[in-house]
Amino acid sequence: EIAHLAALGLRNMLITFTSCQRSETGALYDLAFQRMNATERLPAATSDGALIAWLRFHLDRTSQVLRALRHSVVSMDSSMDRDGVHSVQLEEIILAKDQLLRLLSVAEEQSECIESLSAAFDSSSSFRASASLPILLAKAGSTERTAIRLEKNLSDLRERSEGFEHQMTNRRLAVLTVVSAVFMPLTLFTGIWGMNFQNMPELSKPYAYPLALSFMIVLAIIMICYFRRAGWFD
């Protein structure tokens, strides 16, 4: 049960194997097991061919994870267009962005590794193995470019989600502003009529209390209608 393989692609190449418990390898063991049992042959029956096959396995694995992440991003984009921006949480976008950044770093390291191997392979290497390196390099570059495009898409989704959050915050602040504006004159009248002066003719009127309440209610309704016409509740 191989959990990790380290290879040095030089003339006297050394391949080392490190084993551990299968439970510690996660999904990597099953992927490696399926690849090793496939009918696909090595590019060449040499240590260089084994290295090329192992690099191809990791490139395919990175590409597979990136395709799954791209499908998730497309689903979030479609959900935003169909059900509204609120259907996707900002935390989901941030989590996908973190996964993408890790994938992008892996893709960049794979490209650098293949470029170094291309420079290290000389005429003593087998022709079939060395001819596979440009193909692997092109695939690694394609994966890296796809990750960069996906990063831009996630940035757009994050901007849409943050814009929606800002819009909702502004709406809440607008409601609080309207409520404060409506109760401000009512508070003023309450403070005036609550003064402890002896000569206040309004307090001696028999219908002063219902008239005062009616006046406050009418004033509040007028102010609410004004703010609604002005677009504060849109």
Side-chain angles (χ1 to χ4, degrees):
E1 298 180 359
I2 305 302
H4 175 74
L5 183 143
L8 182 63
L10 300 177
R11 178 176 299 178
N12 299 321
M13 186 177 67
L14 174 65
I15 300 179
T16 61
F17 298 89
T18 303
S19 61
C20 65
Q21 297 295 328
R22 178 176 176 180
S23 59
E24 300 177 3
T25 62
L28 179 61
Y29 178 85
D30 295 332
L31 292 174
F33 183 80
Q34 295 175 4
R35 174 58 64 91
M36 296 308 174
N37 284 273
T39 57
E40 180 181 3
R41 296 181 178 274
L42 296 177
T46 60
S47 58
D48 295 344
L51 177 61
I52 295 297
W54 191 251
L55 288 175
R56 187 166 52 198
F57 163 72
H58 281 288
L59 287 175
D60 292 342
R61 181 167 172 259
T62 303
S63 179
Q64 180 180 1
V65 176
L66 183 60
R67 286 195 300 269
L69 183 58
R70 182 175 60 183
H71 177 73
S72 177
V73 173
V74 171
S75 299
M76 288 190 291
D77 193 6
S78 301
S79 178
M80 281 186 173
D81 294 337
R82 182 180 62 254
D83 303 326
V85 182
H86 64 278
S87 61
V88 177
Q89 299 295 328
L90 182 60
E91 290 75 12
E92 299 179 23
I93 301 176
I94 295 176
L95 179 60
K97 184 68 173 294
D98 293 339
Q99 296 176 353
L100 179 62
L101 291 178
R102 289 195 294 267
L103 277 175
L104 185 58
S105 63
V106 171
E108 292 174 349
E109 292 176 357
Q110 289 175 346
S111 297
E112 294 176 357
C113 178
I114 298 174
E115 290 176 356
S116 301
L117 288 176
S118 299
F121 269 98
D122 53 19
S123 58
S124 62
S125 302
S126 61
F127 174 77
R128 293 185 61 186
S130 60
S132 300
L133 284 176
I135 300 176
L136 295 180
L137 185 60
K139 185 173 184 179
S142 176
T143 301
E144 185 176 352
R145 290 190 296 271
T146 302
I148 293 175
R149 290 194 300 268
L150 195 59
E151 183 180 7
K152 294 180 181 179
N153 293 338
L154 280 173
S155 298
D156 294 338
L157 293 181
R158 182 168 184 174
E159 289 179 0
R160 292 174 60 184
S161 180
E162 290 178 347
F164 177 76
E165 293 291 338
H166 292 323
Q167 183 180 3
M168 293 300 298
T169 301
N170 292 334
R171 286 186 176 181
R172 296 187 184 100
L173 291 176
V175 172
L176 291 176
T177 302
V178 171
V179 172
S180 300
V182 169
F183 279 94
M184 187 177 298
L186 305 183
T187 305
L188 175 63
F189 292 131
T190 303
I192 294 175
W193 290 329
M195 296 178 181
N196 295 321
F197 292 113
Q198 294 181 357
N199 296 322
M200 294 187 70
E202 296 88 351
L203 300 179
S204 61
K205 300 292 183 180
Y207 299 103
Y209 180 69
L211 288 176
L213 289 181
S214 301
F215 173 75
M216 291 181 179
I217 293 174
V218 171
L219 179 61
I221 293 174
I222 292 174
M223 296 187 67
I224 291 175
C225 293
Y226 170 78
F227 283 114
R228 180 178 294 276
R229 287 189 175 184
W232 284 72
F233 295 100
D234 295 338

